Amino acid sequence: MHLTAPATRRTGIRDTDGMAVASFVLGLVGLLVLNVFLGPIAIVLATVALWRGTKRRGRAWLGLTLGIADLVVLVAFMQADSTISWSF
């Protein structure tokens, strides 16, 4: 007796769409705070979403771009004041 329904392909697509959106949101928030953590997470989520074939490719590419921008901002601020953290 099976207590759960078999997994369908639609569930996997919805998960990758969620990853694409999450990478976009984390990349966007990472430009303001915690870019050392949120940038790499956004990059990984976007890469996995693209690799798995998300329907929201634009969001995934934006998340990937914003994740990289997070790291660029971090490096710029590290060069400016010689620390890992920065504040307004």
Side-chain angles (χ1 to χ4, degrees), residues 7-15 17 55:
T8 63
R9 175 124 170 92
R10 185 70 191 140
T11 303
I13 291 172
R14 213 174 13 200
D15 290 345
D17 290 348
K55 288 185 177 179

Side-chain angles (χ1 to χ4, degrees), residues 6-76:
T8 63
R9 175 124 170 92
R10 185 70 191 140
T11 303
I13 291 172
R14 213 174 13 200
D15 290 345
T16 58
D17 290 348
M19 282 186 228
V21 172
S23 71
F24 171 72
V25 171
L26 291 176
L28 195 59
V29 172
L31 288 173
L32 301 174
V33 294
L34 297 172
N35 51 5
V36 71
F37 299 109
L38 298 181
I41 293 171
I43 292 169
V44 169
L45 284 175
T47 304
V48 170
L50 287 168
W51 184 69
R52 289 186 180 178
T54 182
K55 288 185 177 179
R56 297 183 181 206
R57 296 186 66 76
R59 287 276 160 87
W61 281 110
L62 280 172
L64 183 63
T65 304
L66 287 170
I68 293 169
D70 291 349
L71 298 180
V72 170
V73 167
L74 175 66
V75 169

